[in-house]
Amino acid sequence: MEHPLGTEELGRDVLVRLLYGGRVSLMVGVAAAISAAAIGVVIGLLAGYFGGWVDKLLMRFTDGVISLPLLPLLIVLAAIDPEKLGFSAGNETNMGLYRIIFIVALVGWTTVARLVRSTTLSLKQRPFVMAAHAQGATPLRIMAVHILPNLSSPIIVATTLSAGNVILLESVLSFLGLGIQPPVPSWGNLLTNA
């Protein structure tokens, strides 16, 4: 009863490592999902509000990111050594966490961007937005005060749903040895040791 799930080859409790690994994986999932949502909100809001060539340019860029094969791209980006590129951080364990969050946020914003764009297109035709425009509000104020609060529900739902996908991506990268490195437990590197 001391070790309900047993111990690993080094004598460490598997249940404790599973709980600590869950903490790391959930932190990476939530942080990367929020970061990706922030990028997606900015791109979708600009594309939906301004329309025209801005919309076309940003949505073609979004379509280009969507068309990339996700897992091979993440593997290539995770395999790049930041120290060889001139980025040096003192703490290597935190560097692995930040690198995974950055990589997943770099490619995970597309769903939120498309959702925000489509909702912004419908919201900018509403009377309260036209009234704010008629009163002389700047585009930034209209987007921040009138449109963005009305986008909060779809953004929260999309971010919550993407957090699970981010945890899966982190687990895959850690399982392959490209994510969180073994002194720090995560669900992916615990699977590698299983």
Side-chain angles (χ1 to χ4, degrees), residues 47-59:
Y49 184 79
F50 289 113
W53 66 270
V54 174
D55 182 26
K56 289 178 185 173
L57 178 72
L58 290 175
M59 286 300 107

Side-chain angles (χ1 to χ4, degrees), residues 2-185:
E2 265 184 65
H3 309 288
L5 297 180
T7 60
E8 60 176 11
E9 66 274 356
L10 296 176
R12 297 180 289 194
D13 191 294
V14 174
L15 179 62
V16 172
R17 290 191 52 81
L18 187 66
L19 293 174
Y20 277 107
R23 190 172 70 174
V24 170
S25 294
L26 288 172
M27 192 271 297
V28 168
V30 169
I34 290 172
S35 302
I39 295 169
V41 165
V42 170
I43 290 175
L45 199 56
L46 291 174
Y49 184 79
F50 289 113
W53 66 270
V54 174
D55 182 26
K56 289 178 185 173
L57 178 72
L58 290 175
M59 286 300 107
R60 292 311 72 83
F61 176 67
T62 303
D63 291 340
V65 174
I66 289 173
S67 69
L68 295 171
L70 185 62
L71 190 57
L73 178 67
L74 289 175
I75 290 171
V76 168
L77 290 174
I80 294 173
D81 187 14
E83 287 186 8
K84 290 183 180 176
L85 296 175
F87 299 110
S88 179
N91 194 348
E92 288 300 318
T93 57
N94 287 340
M95 185 64 178
L97 289 171
Y98 299 142
R99 195 173 83 189
I100 294 298
I101 292 169
F102 176 75
I103 289 170
V104 173
L106 193 64
V107 295
W109 54 267
T110 55
T111 305
V112 175
R114 293 175 69 93
L115 182 66
V116 167
R117 175 195 173 262
S118 64
T119 310
T120 301
L121 284 173
S122 72
L123 284 174
K124 79 175 189 177
Q125 302 301 324
R126 295 272 180 90
F128 63 90
V129 174
M130 287 192 251
H133 184 66
Q135 289 178 347
T138 63
L140 182 62
R141 179 165 173 80
I142 292 173
M143 286 187 285
V145 174
H146 299 287
I147 294 178
L148 190 59
N150 289 300
L151 292 172
S152 62
S153 296
I155 292 169
I156 290 171
V157 170
T159 304
T160 304
L161 292 175
S162 71
N165 292 333
V166 171
I167 291 171
L168 286 174
L169 291 173
E170 181 273 325
S171 296
V172 167
L173 291 175
S174 295
F175 177 74
L176 295 173
L178 299 170
I180 311 299
Q181 294 306 313
V184 178

